[in-house]
């Protein structure tokens, strides 16, 4: 046990409801007024709900005797009052205690002979809106794991920090003039306070923010290592340029051709930008996925994003006006070299570099217009979203290298400049896109793969599958692949192309290099100088780091594409220290992804001024054992940080190939179910199932209390013939369905919120918020409290101490406890937090039937409860007489002796008539049951000396013995 835990003095003030006067007032008003007169709208939802239903089941309890009873509405509300336990006193008290005593601090010099557990949340962007109920879902799960492992004797690293650079603070600065730093610090303070109010066991001594120079010094340092290894470079690339925001946007910040923020139009514009060569790591990023304990869906998303494909690059000579070969070639990338003979035209991207060389004079204007038209579309619009293919003939032809045929070259925007070679061979018989295009523009179609399964009717349909090759031989080139399978043919074409200089085998990736510069202020400065004279880029020396952001008052974009930092003239203009030559600083900043690429490493050693992370510490703590966050980070964040980690591995900064051993995505929390009804012009309801033209009617939202379930449907309570449509939406401000965790904490307490979020459903699934669900877990906590502490006194306060006795536990009590221990432990370890709670609920239900609450049972149960509801558990633990926090107590272990099957009473029939019972183990075999029956005093007389015809045995239910009638003695009297 850690000695730094101080003795805690329990101050057991009476449970005063003053803070909760709102409840007192409302409750008493409920008891005074008739339900119909009560204006529902002025009541908090919880009270409105407990008001519904008329009569409800409740538990009345007296010490020693407890029974379920049906009580009237008036009685319910007054019992409701007594149900509450003093969470509003307990919670702040324990939060203060944990903080004052730094209970969850992970010391710098942990005993490394002990096992470690590093459990991490994807750290939040501290937005102005504060926490939403989605945050605590993941944070509670990791907290439960952290608390469990601490109690199991692990050294636990469970830190929290802020991913605090980014656009919102900068836009707020532009609107209000408030410096992004001010806004960020304020938001961080709020987030920290909110997180602390939920009782998470973070080691706050390790808190970090990506915006602190001590932190971004090392982000810049990593950039320099990338630069030195040629992995950071500048290139002229078409970028998403948003004129209204005056900035370049990342692909993921552009949705359907407009900026995600603000919805401004975005165009493609070539610009000189910093790029990171993530493509150099494509193969390793792909291969190493196999070893990770990640959800298969994320691994698959990463594989698709990396998009490795194998194929060939093939060269097509450009022909001149007379059909003669020129010395210029167009190289295409294809995954189907087997169908080269079927290539009846070619397509180049509008940006293709050779286009202006071969376009004919007659076609030039049309091609130019088309290029302009295409430049206004995003890649997505050009490919996935584009329904109708467009293109223009260039007037020029190329030679199909397989058979020497002259095929037309088209320009079309369904071919992207950024993939492969920016040119394709088009095979309209076997590719759907090419087929649509050829049909539209009347281009010949040539089938070269036999589709064995196809009837003759479909023979002229596009066939994208593999098969046996036909129509594919040429005397001119000597290539013959007829009758080969697609696979064999592809190999033969590649081998032929390599031999004849017509092409080569090629592996391609969808993954692009990472555009690593933003024309923004609120980001890490890129530590590079550009010499005035030569334009050469020079890395600033590592000893000069951090290169801090200069102060600026005007954050508005320059509008020219020059970043706002260019306004910090005295910061920008500098000299190269090694040569004294005048130079300018790079004014683009890093993207928001940068700081989050490596923060998990800094948490291991957050204050080290000498190194990004101390080698020994890194060796001990790496990798992160469990990493929890939203599925929206399945690709970019996880891929970028894996990339940086691998670079750091190559240069010896980290000891593992991968940063995160296990990743778990929590599901999203959707808003409460909303019920929609429709009304016709006269204002009469229209049932959702009877009317086809529902959308012509007026939609109305029906409050939950006016809805009932009828079969599989929801209907109006007042008129069950009217069917409603239930819908769930993402929580959003505009829909007004956002639940604020602060409100929940105020009304039910942090333990209830934690428990509810875990109880809502399987951790990884999406779930809908439902306020009555919180009431359920809140009642469970209150029941647990009363089980240990007893009922409140007449003034509502609770007595000091507990009801616990020093009696020896009975076998039944031990069995109930150990079953609960086994269940809770197993469920937490398998991240099935919801069923872990059910296990505890079963325990409490069973315990209510006992006449005593022995210490030997209740103490372990309190420890079991503690990862989920730490405040209540600490309070109970302390009342049970323990001076120290339970955070480092040993987590109870299930004793297998108590998990064995229990005995049951089995009825025994003789010839179909029940003649007695025997006590057997639940899983008892037929033979054993029969032996026990024949030894039983009562049954023996029926069985002794009888021959048995057959036995019918239903385990756990019955044993029926059928006697052989021929041997039955008939007694005549
Ligand atoms: C002819 C062909 C026929 C193709 C066929 C496929 C099927 P993956 O697997 O995604 O790598 N392609 C190549 N470069 C392109 C570009 N810049 N823009 C648009 N499409 C491009 O896809 C490779 C295939 O996508 C290539 O193989 C090429 O079309 C097309 F029945 O060549 B294929």
């Amino acid at each position: 046990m850690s000695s730094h835990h101080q003795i805690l003095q329990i101050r057991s003030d009476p449970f005063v409801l003053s803070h909760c006067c709102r409840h007192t007032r409302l409750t008493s008003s409920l008891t005074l007024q008739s339900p119909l007169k009560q204006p529902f709208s002025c009541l908090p939802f919880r009270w409105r709900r407990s008001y519904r239903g008329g009569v409800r089941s409740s538990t009345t309890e007296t010490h020693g005797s407890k029974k379920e009873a049906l009580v009237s509405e008036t009685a319910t509300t007054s019992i409701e009052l007594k149900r509450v336990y003093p969470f509003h006193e307990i919670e702040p008290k324990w939060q203060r205690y944990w903080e004052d005593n730094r209970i969850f601090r992970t010391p710098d010099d942990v005993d490394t002979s002990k096992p470690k557990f590093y459990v991490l949340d994807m750290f939040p962007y501290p937005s102005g809106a504060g926490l939403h109920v989605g945050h605590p879902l993941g944070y509670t799960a990791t907290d439960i794991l952290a608390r469990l492992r601490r109690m199991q004797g692990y050294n636990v690293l469970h830190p929290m920090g802020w991913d605090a650079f980014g656009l919102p603070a900068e836009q707020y600065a532009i609107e209000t003039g408030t410096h992004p730093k001010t806004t960020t610090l304020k938001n961080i303070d709020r987030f920290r306070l909110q997180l602390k109010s939920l009782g998470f066991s973070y080691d706050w001594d390790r808190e970090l923010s990506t915006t602190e120079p001590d932190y971004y010094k090392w982000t810049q340092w990593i950039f320099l290592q990338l630069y030195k290894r040629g992995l950071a470079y500048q290139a002229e690339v078409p970028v998403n340029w948003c004129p209204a925001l005056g900035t370049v946007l990342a692909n993921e910040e552009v949705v359907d051709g407009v900026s995600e923020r603000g919805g401004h139009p975005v165009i493609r514009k070539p610009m000189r930008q910093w790029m990171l060569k993530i493509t150099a790591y494509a193969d390793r990023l792909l291969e190493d996925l196999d070893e990770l304990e990640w959800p298969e869906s994320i691994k698959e998303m990463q594989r698709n994003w990396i998009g490795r494909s194998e194929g060939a690059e093939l060269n097509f000579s450009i022909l001149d006006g007379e059909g003669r070969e020129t010395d210029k070639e167009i190289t295409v990338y294809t995954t189907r070299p087997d169908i080269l003979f079927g290539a009846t035209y070619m397509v180049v991207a509008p940006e293709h570099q050779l286009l202006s060389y071969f376009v004919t004079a007659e076609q030039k204007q049309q091609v130019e217009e088309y290029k302009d038209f295409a430049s206004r579309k995003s890649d997505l619009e050009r490919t996935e979203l584009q329904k109708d293919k467009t293109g223009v003939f260039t007037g020029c032809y190329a030679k199909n290298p397989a058979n020497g045929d002259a095929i037309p070259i088209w320009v079309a925007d369904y071919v992207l400049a950024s993939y492969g070679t920016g040119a394709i061979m088009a095979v309209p018989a076997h590719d759907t896109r090419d087929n649509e295009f050829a049909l539209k523009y009347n281009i010949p179609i040539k089938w070269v793969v036999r589709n064995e399964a196809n009837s003759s009717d479909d023979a002229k349909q596009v066939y994208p599958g593999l098969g046996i090759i036909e129509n594919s031989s040429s005397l001119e080139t000597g290539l013959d692949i007829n009758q080969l399978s697609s696979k064999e043919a592809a190999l033969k074409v590649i081998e032929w192309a390599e031999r004849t200089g017509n092409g080569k085998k090629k592996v391609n990736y969808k993954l692009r290099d990472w555009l690593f510069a933003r024309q923004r202020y609120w980001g890490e400065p890129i530590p590079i100088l550009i010499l005035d004279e030569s334009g050469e880029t020079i890395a600033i020396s590592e000893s000069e780091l951090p290169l801090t952001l200069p102060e600026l008052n005007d954050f508005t974009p320059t509008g020219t594409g020059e970043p706002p930092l260019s306004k910090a003239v005295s910061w920008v203009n500098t000299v190269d220290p090694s040569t004294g030559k005048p130079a300018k600083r790079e004014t683009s900043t890093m993207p928001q992804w940068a700081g989050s690429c490596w923060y998990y490493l800094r948490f291991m050693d957050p204050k080290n001024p000498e190194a990004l992370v101390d080698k020994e510490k890194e060796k001990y703590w790496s990798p992160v054992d469990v990493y929890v966050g939203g599925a929206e980070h399945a690709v970019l964040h996880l891929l970028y940080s894996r990339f940086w980690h691998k670079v750091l591995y190559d240069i010896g900064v980290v000891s593992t190939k991968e940063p995160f051993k296990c990743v778990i995505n929590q599901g999203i929390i959707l808003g409460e179910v909303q019920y929609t009804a429709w009304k016709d012009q006269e204002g009469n309801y229209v049932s959702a199932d009877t009317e086809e033209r529902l959308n012509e009617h007026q939609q109305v939202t029906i409050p939950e209390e006016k809805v009932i379930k009828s079969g599989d449907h929801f209907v109006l309570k007042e008129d069950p013939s009217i069917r409603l449509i239930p819908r769930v939406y993402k929580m959003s401000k505009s829909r007004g369905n956002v639940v604020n965790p602060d409100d929940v904490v105020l009304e039910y307490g942090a333990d209830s919120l934690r428990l509810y979020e875990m109880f809502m459903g399987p951790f990884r699934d999406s779930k809908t918020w439902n306020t009555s669900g919180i009431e359920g877990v809140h009642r469970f906590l209150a029941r647990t409290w009363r089980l240990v502490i007893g009922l409140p006194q007449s003034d509502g306060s609770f007595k000091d101490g507990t009801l616990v006795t020093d009696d020896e536990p009975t076998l039944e009590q031990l069995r109930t406890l150990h079953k609960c221990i086994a269940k809770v432990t197993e469920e937490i370890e398998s991240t099935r937090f919801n069923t872990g709670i059910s296990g505890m609920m079963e325990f409490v239900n069973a315990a209510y039937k006992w006449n005593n609450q022995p210490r030997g049972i209740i103490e372990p149960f309190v420890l079991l409860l503690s990862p989920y509801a730490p405040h209540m558990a600490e309070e109970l633990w302390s009342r049970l007489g323990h001076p120290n926090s339970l955070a480092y107590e040993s987590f109870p272990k299930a004793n297998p002796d108590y998990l064995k099957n229990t005995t049951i009473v089995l009825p025994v029939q003789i010839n179909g008539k029940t003649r007695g019972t025997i006590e057997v183990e639940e899983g008892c075999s037929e033979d054993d049951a029969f032996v026990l029956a024949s030894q039983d005093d009562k049954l023996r007389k029926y069985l002794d000396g009888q021959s048995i015809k057959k036995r019918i045995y239903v385990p756990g239910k019955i044993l029926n013995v059928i006697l052989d009638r021929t041997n039955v003695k008939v007694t005549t009297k």
Side-chain angles (χ1 to χ4, degrees):
M1 269 298 306
S2 37
S3 54
H4 59 274
H5 303 159
Q6 281 179 3
I7 295 190
L8 177 75
Q9 277 297 315
I10 300 298
R11 197 176 53 100
S12 51
D13 291 346
F15 169 30
V16 188
L17 274 169
S18 57
H19 75 287
C20 197
C21 54
R22 191 167 147 223
H23 295 178
T24 324
R25 183 170 49 77
L26 290 169
T27 320
S28 48
S29 71
L30 278 173
T31 53
L32 290 175
Q33 296 188 15
S34 102
L36 292 172
K37 284 183 199 144
Q38 182 61 34
F40 270 93
S41 55
C42 68
L43 297 177
F45 194 59
R46 171 155 104 91
W47 296 100
R48 273 185 256 156
R49 190 185 298 274
S50 62
Y51 208 54
R52 216 164 21 111
V55 183
R56 68 150 55 177
S57 165
S58 174
T59 311
T60 50
E61 295 150 12
T62 52
H63 291 185
S65 95
K66 309 168 185 74
K67 54 181 187 281
E68 292 290 315
L70 282 180
V71 289
S72 73
E73 178 128 45
T74 315
T76 311
T77 47
S78 60
I79 281 169
E80 189 84 61
L81 177 66
K82 287 180 191 153
R83 277 189 162 148
V84 186
Y85 71 96
F87 61 83
H88 49 288
E89 285 180 0
I90 295 172
E91 294 186 350
K93 172 177 127 188
W94 286 100
Q95 285 158 18
R96 237 183 352 260
Y97 172 81
W98 294 327
E99 180 152 353
D100 291 350
N101 297 286
R102 293 156 90 201
I103 297 289
F104 304 114
R105 193 174 77 89
T106 308
D108 251 3
D109 47 351
V110 287
D111 170 5
T112 53
S113 64
K114 287 211 299 185
K116 66 95 184 179
F117 185 67
Y118 184 0
V119 55
L120 183 66
D121 297 294
M122 291 186 185
F123 66 163
Y125 172 74
S127 72
L131 282 189
H132 56 75
V133 287
H135 286 115
L137 181 64
Y139 302 165
T140 306
T142 53
D143 199 56
I144 290 171
L145 292 171
R147 286 174 181 273
L148 171 76
R149 287 284 188 254
R150 263 186 221 110
M151 296 172 84
Q152 288 174 330
Y154 287 71
N155 288 323
V156 170
L157 188 58
H158 187 40
M160 182 41 88
W162 319 108
D163 186 16
F165 274 129
L167 202 53
E170 184 158 339
Q171 283 186 326
Y172 188 69
I174 294 168
E175 283 159 28
T176 63
T178 320
H179 197 285
K181 194 162 155 188
T182 315
T183 317
T184 303
L185 288 176
K186 197 172 128 227
N187 292 349
I188 287 178
D189 284 345
R190 166 129 190 256
F191 262 68
R192 191 191 302 106
L193 212 68
Q194 286 185 300
L195 289 180
K196 286 190 176 175
S197 80
L198 292 171
F200 297 130
S201 63
Y202 294 121
D203 175 359
W204 286 106
D205 286 349
R206 290 176 188 252
E207 177 184 346
L208 57 81
S209 168
T210 53
T211 51
E212 287 304 319
D214 282 351
Y215 179 85
Y216 69 66
K217 166 181 176 174
W218 297 104
T219 313
Q220 292 172 328
W221 182 86
I222 298 173
F223 180 88
L224 290 181
Q225 311 313 309
L226 292 161
Y227 178 75
K228 280 184 204 156
R229 282 157 189 81
L231 295 168
Y233 63 96
Q234 278 195 301
E236 188 86 12
V237 281
V239 295
N240 303 308
W241 169 247
C242 177
L245 294 176
T247 186
V248 170
L249 298 174
N251 285 341
E252 59 277 11
E253 291 166 325
V254 184
V255 179
D256 297 344
V258 297
S259 62
E260 191 189 17
R261 236 158 238 294
H264 306 292
V266 176
I267 56 166
R268 307 279 288 167
K269 178 173 157 181
M271 263 181 143
R272 207 158 177 74
Q273 294 285 334
W274 283 99
M275 307 289 293
L276 296 190
K277 212 179 208 155
I278 189 170
T279 50
Y281 282 72
D283 269 331
R284 284 166 65 188
L285 288 168
L286 198 63
E287 281 159 21
D288 293 348
L289 276 176
D290 296 341
E291 295 159 26
L292 297 173
E293 290 169 36
W294 290 19
E296 212 29 64
S297 59
I298 307 191
K299 290 202 211 175
E300 205 44 35
M301 277 162 86
Q302 294 225 343
R303 285 189 193 109
N304 290 338
W305 192 266
I306 296 167
R308 184 180 194 276
S309 77
E310 275 185 24
E313 276 186 359
L314 298 172
N315 308 326
F316 289 60
S317 304
I318 296 176
L319 302 177
D320 65 15
E322 266 79 55
R324 285 187 303 254
E325 271 183 68
T326 66
D327 60 352
K328 290 261 189 306
E329 288 174 336
I330 298 176
T331 303
V332 303
Y333 172 66
T334 179
T335 45
R336 295 291 305 270
D338 58 314
I339 52 176
L340 174 57
F341 282 90
T344 54
Y345 69 100
M346 297 184 74
V347 182
V348 297
E351 301 83 0
H352 196 276
Q353 290 195 336
L354 285 180
L355 181 54
S356 54
Y357 163 79
F358 61 74
V359 62
T360 59
E362 303 87 77
Q363 292 299 102
K364 198 168 181 73
Q365 194 188 338
Q366 238 192 320
V367 167
E368 283 306 319
E369 281 168 11
Y370 187 75
K371 279 166 72 173
D372 186 52
F373 158 81
S375 75
R376 280 189 286 254
K377 292 201 224 162
S378 70
D379 282 0
L380 205 64
E381 286 172 295
R382 284 170 53 163
T383 50
E384 257 103 298
L385 301 177
Q386 177 148 292
K387 299 230 164 55
D388 193 22
K389 308 255 165 310
T390 59
V392 173
F393 178 41
T394 63
C396 180
Y397 290 79
K399 187 179 114 177
N400 182 333
N403 53 15
D405 285 359
I407 58 174
I409 310 172
W410 284 67
V411 52
D413 64 5
Y414 75 89
V415 172
L416 304 175
S418 52
Y419 188 60
T421 59
I424 65 159
M425 66 177 203
V427 190
H430 302 290
D431 180 89
T432 325
R433 292 169 313 172
D434 298 346
N435 191 268
E436 275 172 46
F437 193 86
L439 290 175
K440 180 170 175 186
Y441 294 107
N442 242 336
I443 301 172
I445 301 175
K446 182 179 166 191
W447 276 265
V448 291
V449 185
R450 197 159 58 239
N451 177 5
E452 308 278 59
N454 235 3
S455 70
S456 53
D457 284 358
D458 298 334
K460 294 295 167 224
Q461 295 292 311
V462 56
Y463 174 60
L466 305 181
I468 301 297
I469 304 298
E470 58 186 15
N471 299 329
S472 295
S473 75
S474 160
L475 285 176
E476 188 187 330
T477 61
L479 182 62
D480 180 359
I481 51 172
N482 278 335
Q483 304 310 323
L484 296 183
S485 70
S486 285
K487 222 171 163 184
E488 294 161 338
L491 288 175
K492 190 162 176 189
V493 170
I494 292 174
E495 181 265 315
W496 165 83
E498 285 180 346
R499 188 160 35 81
T500 55
N502 279 312
K504 59 175 194 238
K505 183 174 178 226
K506 175 81 182 165
V507 172
N508 248 323
Y509 299 91
K510 292 247 156 51
L511 184 68
R512 304 285 78 164
D513 276 347
W514 175 10
L515 174 59
F516 196 69
R518 298 289 183 275
Q519 283 61 50
R520 284 181 198 153
Y521 171 73
W522 194 229
E524 299 88 344
I526 294 177
I528 294 284
L529 302 178
I530 302 128
L531 293 185
D532 284 357
E533 222 175 74
S534 60
E536 190 189 339
T537 54
I538 297 195
I540 72 168
S541 119
E542 285 176 17
S543 62
E544 279 184 63
L545 298 181
L547 170 62
T548 48
L549 261 178
E551 284 303 323
L552 214 62
N553 295 322
D554 174 13
F555 310 98
T556 47
T558 55
T560 60
E562 278 288 296
L565 271 184
S566 57
K567 296 179 187 173
V569 180
S570 60
W571 180 85
V572 172
N573 292 310
T574 181
V575 288
D576 171 15
S578 57
T579 60
K581 288 185 185 166
K584 292 203 173 25
R585 292 193 190 282
E586 171 61 58
T587 52
S588 295
T589 52
M590 298 187 196
Q592 199 190 345
W593 305 101
S596 59
C597 270
W598 70 280
Y599 72 110
Y600 58 93
L601 292 171
R602 192 64 179 169
F603 278 139
M604 299 173 187
D605 190 16
K607 304 205 167 66
N608 191 338
E610 309 300 332
L612 181 156
V613 58
D614 172 77
K615 276 201 162 44
E616 289 306 310
K617 288 181 180 150
E618 186 280 329
K619 226 181 190 155
Y620 179 68
W621 288 113
S622 272
V624 173
D625 294 280
V626 176
Y627 191 29
V628 175
E632 66 276 18
H633 296 300
V635 178
L636 297 176
H637 161 61
L638 288 176
L639 201 63
Y640 292 155
S641 43
R642 291 181 63 221
F643 162 47
W644 277 30
H645 193 89
K646 286 183 186 303
V647 176
L648 294 173
Y649 176 76
D650 290 349
I651 61 178
V653 175
V654 298
S655 59
T656 60
K657 281 201 237 166
E658 287 285 333
F660 313 117
K661 190 164 143 207
C662 168
V663 168
I664 305 175
N665 295 132
Q666 80 263 24
I668 13 173
I669 297 186
L670 301 160
E672 199 136 6
V673 181
Q674 292 186 359
Y675 300 90
T676 308
W678 282 265
K679 276 185 172 176
D680 62 17
Q681 276 181 338
E682 284 77 48
N684 300 320
Y685 282 114
V686 177
S687 183
D689 59 332
T690 51
E691 275 281 325
E692 279 155 18
R693 303 198 322 268
L694 271 185
N695 47 8
E696 289 171 18
H697 299 300
Q698 187 203 349
Q699 270 191 37
V700 277
T701 303
I702 305 293
E704 199 192 358
E705 50 267 30
K706 295 195 171 174
V707 178
I708 50 165
K709 193 142 193 242
S710 160
D712 287 343
H713 307 292
F714 292 92
V715 294
L716 265 187
K717 203 186 227 170
E718 60 182 40
D719 180 357
S721 70
I722 302 297
R723 198 197 282 182
L724 312 172
I725 301 284
R727 289 202 182 114
V728 285
Y729 299 95
K730 255 182 107 164
M731 285 191 189
S732 75
K733 254 195 216 157
S734 58
R735 213 167 263 288
N737 61 350
V738 176
V739 179
N740 182 340
D742 293 351
D743 296 343
V744 181
V745 170
L746 199 72
E747 197 160 352
Y748 300 95
D751 282 341
S752 292
L753 176 65
R754 293 170 61 111
L755 218 62
Y756 174 60
E757 296 225 355
M758 292 298 99
F759 197 52
M760 285 176 88
F763 181 55
R764 294 162 176 80
D765 292 2
S766 300
K767 331 162 229 271
T768 53
W769 187 265
N770 183 343
T771 307
S772 58
I774 310 178
E775 287 167 21
V777 293
H778 187 63
R779 269 200 300 274
F780 159 69
L781 284 176
R783 263 166 75 71
T784 306
W785 174 261
R786 290 191 308 269
L787 179 74
V788 185
I789 305 297
L791 286 174
Q793 305 174 97
S794 54
D795 65 352
S797 68
F798 288 89
K799 279 204 186 122
D800 288 358
T802 67
L803 299 178
V804 166
T805 65
D806 286 325
D807 300 339
E808 269 304 304
T810 64
L811 191 63
E812 187 212 334
Q813 288 172 329
L814 284 165
R815 279 184 168 153
T816 309
L817 170 73
H818 283 268
K819 266 193 188 157
C820 182
I821 297 174
K823 172 129 181 148
V824 172
T825 315
E826 193 190 322
E827 303 299 53
I828 299 182
E829 301 216 338
S830 342
T831 62
R832 287 189 300 260
F833 304 104
N834 53 333
T835 41
I837 298 174
S838 317
M840 292 189 284
M841 288 175 164
E842 279 164 24
F843 172 89
V844 170
N845 285 342
Y848 261 93
K849 299 196 184 101
W850 301 336
N851 290 326
N852 62 353
Q853 308 300 340
R855 179 174 294 277
I857 299 293
I858 296 301
E859 287 202 342
F861 177 72
V862 168
L863 295 176
L864 278 189
L865 177 70
S866 68
Y868 284 93
H871 306 89
M872 178 187 280
E874 288 275 22
E875 179 68 20
L876 295 179
W877 189 247
S878 136
R879 283 177 176 235
L880 285 162
H882 300 281
N884 294 331
S885 160
L886 52 59
Y888 296 88
E889 286 295 325
S890 289
F891 200 73
K893 282 203 181 79
N895 180 343
D897 290 346
Y898 297 121
L899 301 178
K900 283 197 193 127
N901 285 339
T902 45
T903 55
I904 53 157
V905 175
L906 186 82
V908 180
Q909 295 185 338
I910 312 289
N911 288 337
K913 247 192 182 159
T914 305
R915 298 293 189 185
T917 57
I918 49 172
E919 202 176 317
V920 296
E921 287 293 325
E922 238 164 5
C924 168
S925 71
E926 179 180 331
D927 285 346
D928 287 350
F930 182 72
V931 170
L932 282 171
S934 23
Q935 289 166 355
D936 181 85
D937 280 345
K938 228 170 132 195
L939 294 164
R940 213 173 35 208
K941 62 177 184 220
Y942 296 99
L943 296 168
D944 262 356
Q946 301 291 343
S947 76
I948 311 291
K949 192 170 172 191
K950 68 171 175 180
R951 300 187 309 218
I952 303 163
Y953 181 57
V954 186
K957 293 271 184 303
I958 203 154
L959 172 68
N960 189 359
V961 183
I962 310 290
L963 303 178
D964 193 341
R965 290 273 169 195
T966 53
N967 285 338
V968 174
K969 292 181 204 136
V970 181
T971 45
T972 45
K973 249 194 173 175

